[in-house]
Amino acid sequence: MKSIQSLFLLVFTLLCFNIVSAQYGNGYNNGYGSNGYGRGGGMGMDRSMMQGPQGNTSKPKEVPPEETAAKIVEQMKPVVNLDELQAIAITNVFTDSMKEQGILLKNESSSQDEKIEQMKALRESTTKKITAFLNPDQIPKYTDFMENFKEIKKTKSKKKKDSKENKEGKKETEAIKTE
């Protein structure tokens, strides 16, 4: 009888020790929010300190105009048959145009209609500058390329809008299902 009581006492003690040690971070994913008492890894640091600097993560990174201009000219090179000197000059024209476009868009003093007019004027001057670097046989190829490029941009923006709408629709249906 005494041995059975001792055995039960030993088993009970081991089970209690196991449960207590699991709660205090010695097992089962360190207990109490994965960091034992919420200390965030000890040494008086909390989670906000461990994650490092937190910026505004919702705003996407702005791509530099030089990079965008280079991508456009790389796509244009084989279609319009540009040589290296033309490619460099046109890249510079696109870069300047995109910088000017950014300034126009950020200008809060002008109305929407004024911005549209300014953008049209900028587009026309950019086209004139670029066609000045092209040979007469390259100009129609350039105009065709730019028309196709506009269509590609429109379809990409439509796809983005459609995918956003689809995601929002899925979230709404999931919310309705959970209710």
Side-chain angles (χ1 to χ4, degrees), residues 60-85:
K61 272 196 231 178
E62 201 169 298
V63 180
E66 294 85 6
E67 196 174 311
T68 307
K71 286 180 183 178
I72 293 170
V73 173
E74 283 300 315
Q75 291 176 358
M76 186 189 302
K77 248 184 191 181
V79 176
V80 184
N81 299 326
L82 298 176
D83 61 28
E84 286 302 314
L85 192 60

Side-chain angles (χ1 to χ4, degrees), residues 69-146:
K71 286 180 183 178
I72 293 170
V73 173
E74 283 300 315
Q75 291 176 358
M76 186 189 302
K77 248 184 191 181
V79 176
V80 184
N81 299 326
L82 298 176
D83 61 28
E84 286 302 314
L85 192 60
Q86 287 175 320
I88 292 168
I90 292 172
T91 303
N92 291 336
V93 171
F94 272 133
T95 302
D96 293 341
S97 174
M98 287 179 197
K99 286 179 182 177
E100 186 70 27
Q101 187 176 9
I103 292 168
L104 290 175
L105 290 174
K106 291 176 184 174
N107 185 6
E108 295 178 6
S109 64
S110 58
S111 70
Q112 192 71 21
D113 294 332
E114 291 173 343
K115 286 182 183 180
I116 291 171
E117 290 300 317
Q118 292 170 343
M119 295 292 272
K120 284 181 182 177
L122 178 64
R123 195 176 312 121
E124 288 174 8
S125 71
T126 303
T127 302
K128 285 180 184 176
K129 289 177 186 176
I130 290 173
T131 53
F133 292 113
L134 299 175
N135 300 330
D137 61 321
Q138 291 175 321
I139 294 173
K141 293 176 185 178
Y142 166 74
T143 53
D144 289 342
F145 172 80
M146 289 310 288

Side-chain angles (χ1 to χ4, degrees), residues 23-25 30-40:
Q23 289 180 353
Y24 286 101
N30 289 337
Y32 288 131
S34 303
N35 290 317
Y37 286 123
R39 286 191 312 251

Side-chain angles (χ1 to χ4, degrees), residues 47-66:
R47 291 179 191 190
S48 65
M49 295 171 131
M50 289 179 59
Q51 292 175 349
Q54 294 179 347
N56 187 0
T57 56
S58 64
K59 185 178 181 183
K61 272 196 231 178
E62 201 169 298
V63 180
E66 294 85 6

Side-chain angles (χ1 to χ4, degrees), residues 158-169:
K158 275 188 179 179
K159 286 180 184 177
K160 285 182 183 178
K161 286 180 185 177
D162 290 344
S163 66
K164 284 181 183 178
E165 289 172 0
N166 287 341
K167 286 179 184 177
E168 290 172 1

